[in-house]
Amino acid sequence: MAHRFGMTDTSQKTDPITGKPLVTPTAAATIIVVNDVENGPPELLMVERSGKMAFAAGAAVFPGGRIDQGDYILAKRYLERDADDTLQDEALEDMAARIGAIRETVEEASYPVAMHEPASSEAIAAIRAEAGRDSNFAANVDAFGLQLQPDALTYFARWRPPFNEARVFDTRFYLARATLGKEMAKVDDTENRTLFWASAQQVLDRADNDELKIIFPTRRNLEKIAQCASYAELVDHARHYPAQLIIPFIEERGGEKHLCVPDGLGYPVTSEPIGKALRG
């Protein structure tokens, strides 16, 4: 029997495998940092998570993490500059996610994106010092005169698993152009153990050769990214397939249960046998 939960079916209340009530997901955000390469596919900034982490232990992922309350405070400030009389909830959630993703990329990879001027080494150190707790990012933005450009990010995808994992995140993915040298990126050595730049296909190949672990959403997004030959093509692709909430579903295909995503969202591969899919 197929258990199908569509991409916008937020009415689902139970884990389709265990039948237990679903936990409330934590809002999170991540940035796919894209470095164009002459005569080759773009490279992406990836971090390999510590094997001790509760979520995606040992897996290669894009830099990111949960959205802090401080990100919402800063988001309200940015929105109120040009906002109408009221702030829509979705606008606030999106802006807080953009700001949280910028912060997390600095914390995890020491790599500033979406800023009018690059953050100084002192600013990066101050931001990274607050990693792992509910940081006051706004205070560091003010103290170091950082001019964030959250609108420079392109909304690429949004994923929420339908299962009760060790950690359950409702994650927004954004694209950012790499504007600094790759050597700027440095692993945080707390949540992550290594950092590297590679094309989407290289990461997929390494995972297929058992050199890396990648979880189901990362694999699907890498396959999507691998279709594009540049940052500009990725942005065009994102505009052609606007981000929608993706809640994977279980469906029997060819006599085997698969973990699936809906068709028509730009993903070249939409299912994987559930026994092989790494879920986090």
Side-chain angles (χ1 to χ4, degrees):
M1 179 178 177
H3 300 271
R4 186 182 180 92
F5 299 99
M7 60 190 171
T8 57
D9 182 5
T10 57
S11 63
Q12 182 191 349
K13 302 298 183 183
T14 59
D15 184 313
I17 294 178
T18 66
K20 294 182 178 180
L22 282 177
V23 301
T24 301
T26 298
T30 189
I31 290 185
I32 304 166
V33 183
V34 184
N35 181 60
D36 279 332
V37 175
E38 189 174 355
N39 300 321
E43 294 178 327
L44 314 173
L45 176 58
M46 306 284 295
V47 293
E48 191 173 12
R49 292 176 61 78
S50 166
K52 298 179 180 179
M53 300 301 293
F55 174 75
V61 297
F62 307 111
R66 69 183 176 90
I67 303 169
D68 289 345
Q69 285 304 308
D71 300 327
Y72 285 98
I73 293 170
L74 199 50
K76 289 178 182 179
R77 183 196 302 179
Y78 273 81
L79 285 173
E80 286 169 353
R81 290 177 179 175
D82 301 306
D84 294 330
D85 294 337
T86 59
L87 292 176
Q88 298 300 316
D89 287 347
E90 173 56 27
L92 180 59
E93 291 294 331
D94 175 64
M95 183 59 72
R98 290 169 184 266
I99 289 169
I102 293 169
R103 173 183 54 76
E104 285 281 349
T105 304
V106 174
E107 289 182 359
E108 292 195 348
S110 191
Y111 198 86
V113 295
M115 296 187 187
H116 183 67
E117 296 289 342
S120 66
S121 57
E122 292 79 11
I124 291 171
I127 294 167
R128 298 191 89 183
E130 295 189 342
R133 59 177 187 258
D134 199 1
S135 66
N136 189 352
F137 189 38
N140 282 318
V141 166
D142 293 340
F144 294 98
L146 302 179
Q147 299 180 50
L148 306 187
Q149 295 181 308
D151 288 341
L153 303 178
T154 298
Y155 193 12
F156 186 71
R158 181 181 176 190
W159 285 68
R160 196 203 84 185
F163 309 106
N164 288 334
E165 309 288 2
R167 296 286 187 275
V168 180
F169 295 101
D170 180 346
T171 306
R172 298 172 191 246
F173 293 73
Y174 298 91
L175 299 171
R177 185 192 295 275
T179 57
L180 304 172
K182 293 190 297 181
E183 70 281 355
M184 282 283 297
K186 295 178 176 60
V187 73
D188 61 350
D189 285 329
T190 54
E191 294 184 5
N192 306 299
R193 59 192 182 196
T194 59
L195 174 152
F196 62 93
W197 295 83
S199 72
Q201 191 58 55
Q202 286 172 333
V203 179
L204 290 166
D205 290 344
R206 290 180 63 186
D208 290 342
N209 290 330
D210 295 326
E211 298 172 17
L212 286 175
K213 287 173 56 179
I214 50 176
I215 59 177
F216 184 79
T218 305
R219 178 177 283 276
R220 301 287 83 86
N221 281 309
L222 285 168
E223 290 162 348
K224 190 176 187 181
I225 293 165
Q227 301 174 106
C228 300
S230 67
Y231 173 77
E233 282 192 22
L234 275 168
V235 171
D236 286 344
H237 191 279
R239 289 171 178 162
H240 187 71
Y241 297 100
Q244 300 182 50
L245 174 61
I246 296 175
I247 303 176
F249 57 91
I250 299 173
E251 190 169 85
E252 190 169 299
R253 298 185 178 183
E256 185 177 16
K257 287 185 177 180
H258 278 61
L259 189 60
C260 312
V261 299
D263 296 328
L265 299 182
Y267 289 93
V269 180
T270 58
S271 72
E272 184 176 352
I274 196 165
K276 297 180 180 179
L278 296 178
R279 302 200 310 265

